[in-house]
Structure formats: structure tokens, C-alpha cells
Amino acid sequence: MQVLARYADPDEGTAAVPETRPNVILVLSESFWDPTRLEGVTFSRDPIPFFHSLQERYPSGWLVSPEFAGSTANVEFEVLTGLSMQFLPDGVLAYTQYMDRPIESLASILARQGYQTTVVSPWSRDFYNSDGAYKAMGFQTFISSEMMRQDFSGPYIADREVARNIIEATARTDGPDFVFANTAENHYAYTRDKFDEYTIRVTGTGLSELGVELLETYAEGCLHADQMLKTLVEYYSQVDEPTLLVFFGDHLPLLGKNYQIYKESGYISGPEDLDFARKMYEVPVVVWYNYMPPKPEPIYMGANYLGPYVLRTAGVSGTPFTRYLEDMKNRVPAIPARRYWPDWGIHTWELAEYKALQHDILFGEQFVYRPLREQTAAAAAQ
């Protein structure tokens, strides 16, 4: 499509591969959030101390998620493809309804540059049509729950088992790896019988007994996620492989019906709050690497822009579409649900091109991809 002509690279598909290609590891941590944002709640210890320590030295901040308390696959869809759930009907699941054709993603982009691409997921292969969706996006290997050790923490496979599989995936290859991983351990529900041991106590003047129970259970799960992050950073700090690790949440947790615990803690009064969308759809992200001096930088963007950011940070080539998204992020840093556009100063016309490009990718002739595919085919024929 002509709109992408100004983002074309004449050497696309033929340019030399850069000498330094870091491993790129993305970890989507189930329901990961920073519960210390609840100002009316006191925790006996920091639920995410290692994450907070990385924030002081490395890029970190917030992604705007398209979801609250569920539909993780839609967050994956945005992160991996750069497409937006806000251009699709409310309530849809992109993986099950729209992934019936090849879709460019971080996996396909990096695979063309010599990366081994792997998904690590503690869910089954048919969950949210994961097997079909990951194939459509160009992943070469899918390590699902059926292939993992049945190491549980509560009712779900433990975060530590996901970390083990990430490490094994990169250790078994000689070249650079792209690993996208998600977790399950801190999934709803947060009742007292979830974990065998609780090490964090919660107090708050407005909290009900249920609120204390849910928050103590949720905080324990956050602590386990934080320990997973620490395991990965410690391992890749010691290996002689340049590695970029991005760790982020998918959505805020479901803490009671009708936002009960968020209200009890004073975090929100209800959906009518002017800053409701920012409070309930911002998820934390941190970027760690072992091949550059650490430098703290603020991050704030929609989840749909994370892929282009990762490519740029890793120093590997993107595509006209990813470069378009980088430009788009400078104009509209995040795209919340459509009902919030007026409050965020977003106008429909600003997103018209983006929406048209997405429609071409999902439902049209995929003109967006044609120049890149022609260049790649020509290079392969030489």
C-alpha cells in the first residue's frame, strides 16, 4: 500500500545481517502488575523487589493493555503482530477468529534474520487456538504444557518451569534466539487455598476479609513471578550470549466482582473515574540486557507498539510496517478502548491509515507485505 512507501528500505531483504544479534526474550507474565500502586494497602514485604530494582537501572514503565482481567491471547496478538484490538469488534478473540492466514510478526521478522523462534507456554496446544496462531505468525517451535515437566505451583504450571524451558531453548542453539513465553501461575482465582505457603501479609483500613485474602494470594503469585525474572537475569548475566529480555504483564488481576478490592483500597471509585482507563489498563514492563551499559529510560506505549520498540532496541531490522508503527507511536502513544478516545484526545481520523493497513493484513490482499515478500524471494533466488 502506498502509505508505507515512505517507510521502505531499499536494502530490505538483501542487507547484510548485523554481527551482533542478541537473543530476544519476551516474557508475558500472567496478571503481573505492581500491587504497591494500591496506596491504601500495606504489604509486609515488597511483592516484586527484583522488578523494582531493575526499574532503577534499565528502561521501564507501562504498556497500555487492550484487556482487563482476561483474554491474554489478545494482548499477545497486539505485542507480536503490531495490530490493534481497538479496530476489531468488542469481545472477539483474535487468535480464534482471525488467525487463518500467515500474519507478519516478531517471529517471522526475526526468523528471516537467522533467529530460531520459539514459543514457551504452560497452556495446552489448543488453548485459544495457540498452535494455529503461532504457526500463522511464523514460529518454528512451540513448547506447550504437554512437553513440560508437570511442576505445579497451585493449580497451574509454575513460573520456574517456564523459566527453565526458556533457558533450555536458548542453550540448545548456536545462533540467536527469539523466545516468546507466557506464564500461568498467577492466573485467577486468588483464594486462600491456592498456594501451600504465604510469606506476605496485607493490611488496609478499608479492606474486607475477602480483600485481604485475595491480595495476599495475588501478592504471593507476584513474588513468584519476580523470582522467575530474577532467575532469568542471573542466568543470562553469566552466559556469553548477548541477550535482551523484556518482562511485562498482560492485564490487571480480577480482584473481586465489580472492581471490589480496587474500590476498597481507594485505588478507584468506579468506572466513572476520569483516570479509570489509565489505572485499570496500564501494565508494568521492564527491559534488561547484558551487552550494553544499563540506562534507565521511561517507557509508555500501547502493547501494539512493543514489537517495533524491541526490534529497535535489539538493533535488528524491522519492516515498513514496524517503522510505520514507530512513527504512529510518536503521534498516538497508546490506543485505549474506543469509548476513551475523546478523554485521551484521540481522533478517529488519526487512526484511519492504521485501521486500513490492519484491515488489509487480516481481511484483504495483504498488499502491505507484497514488496517485502518480493524482495525476500528475489534475494533467495540469487
Side-chain angles (χ1 to χ4, degrees), residues 101 359-370 373:
R101 56 165 66 186
H359 189 275
D360 171 61
I361 290 169
L362 291 179
F363 311 113
E365 299 297 323
Q366 295 191 328
F367 292 109
V368 172
Y369 300 154
R370 190 164 295 176
R373 288 173 176 172

Side-chain angles (χ1 to χ4, degrees), residues 23 56 67 92 95 127 131 135 156 183 200 221 257 263 275 278 358 378 382:
N23 294 327
E56 297 176 358
E67 301 294 341
V92 303
Y95 274 13
F127 189 60
D131 193 34
K135 286 178 180 176
Y156 303 106
T183 70
I200 300 176
K257 296 180 180 179
K263 292 178 180 177
D275 57 353
R278 297 187 186 279
Q358 177 165 316
Q382 292 179 353

Side-chain angles (χ1 to χ4, degrees), residues 26-32 63-86 88 92-95 106 128 134 137 180 182 248-252 281 283-284 301-307:
L26 269 61
V27 179
L28 181 157
S29 183
E30 172 63 42
S31 298
F32 185 77
L63 304 178
V64 176
S65 171
E67 301 294 341
F68 169 76
S71 299
T72 296
N74 287 341
V75 184
E76 291 189 14
F77 172 78
E78 288 205 347
V79 168
L80 291 170
T81 68
L83 305 179
S84 173
M85 290 302 302
Q86 308 312 332
L88 298 174
V92 303
L93 292 171
Y95 274 13
L106 283 176
Y128 280 138
Y134 295 142
M137 289 186 286
F180 177 79
N182 56 43
F248 61 99
D250 54 350
H251 53 69
L252 273 67
Y281 289 89
V283 293
M301 69 181 81
N304 55 307
Y305 298 129
L306 183 60

Side-chain angles (χ1 to χ4, degrees), residues 49-240:
F50 191 72
F51 184 92
H52 283 150
S53 72
L54 291 184
Q55 285 182 305
E56 297 176 358
R57 295 175 291 143
Y58 292 91
S60 67
W62 303 94
L63 304 178
V64 176
S65 171
E67 301 294 341
F68 169 76
S71 299
T72 296
N74 287 341
V75 184
E76 291 189 14
F77 172 78
E78 288 205 347
V79 168
L80 291 170
T81 68
L83 305 179
S84 173
M85 290 302 302
Q86 308 312 332
F87 303 143
L88 298 174
D90 292 339
V92 303
L93 292 171
Y95 274 13
T96 61
Q97 293 171 259
Y98 302 121
M99 301 298 282
D100 57 355
R101 56 165 66 186
I103 301 293
E104 281 281 294
S105 75
L106 283 176
S108 57
I109 292 169
L110 290 170
R112 285 195 296 269
Q113 299 179 64
Y115 278 73
Q116 293 295 311
T117 61
T118 303
V119 174
V120 177
S121 174
W123 303 98
S124 66
R125 299 187 74 82
D126 59 354
F127 189 60
Y128 280 138
N129 184 40
S130 295
D131 193 34
Y134 295 142
K135 286 178 180 176
M137 289 186 286
F139 280 98
Q140 298 159 328
T141 304
F142 179 16
I143 301 171
S144 62
S145 62
E146 293 88 345
M147 304 168 66
M148 293 183 176
R149 296 175 184 173
Q150 299 305 290
D151 177 9
F152 287 84
S153 178
Y156 303 106
I157 289 178
D159 286 1
R160 59 179 174 264
E161 173 63 9
V162 177
R164 187 186 70 81
N165 278 273
I166 293 171
I167 290 169
E168 286 192 353
T170 60
R172 71 171 63 100
T173 63
D174 294 327
D177 288 278
F178 171 54
V179 180
F180 177 79
N182 56 43
T183 70
E185 182 176 340
N186 210 18
H187 195 280
Y188 179 86
Y190 307 109
T191 52
R192 184 68 71 189
D193 58 353
K194 183 171 185 177
F195 297 119
D196 293 335
E197 181 182 13
Y198 288 82
T199 62
I200 300 176
R201 295 292 173 259
V202 168
T203 56
T205 55
L207 287 181
S208 62
E209 183 177 341
L210 175 63
V212 171
E213 176 183 358
L214 297 184
L215 282 175
E216 288 186 349
T217 304
Y218 174 69
E220 194 68 29
C222 286
L223 182 62
H224 298 176
D226 192 68
Q227 291 167 346
M228 173 197 184
L229 174 60
K230 184 177 182 181
T231 295
L232 293 172
V233 168
E234 288 181 344
Y235 173 80
Y236 289 105
S237 294
Q238 298 170 6
V239 298
D240 188 23

Side-chain angles (χ1 to χ4, degrees), residues 271-275 277-278 336 338-346:
E272 67 281 359
D273 288 6
L274 292 177
D275 57 353
R278 297 187 186 279
R338 290 183 293 276
R339 62 185 176 277
Y340 299 115
W341 289 6
D343 293 338
W344 288 42
I346 298 173

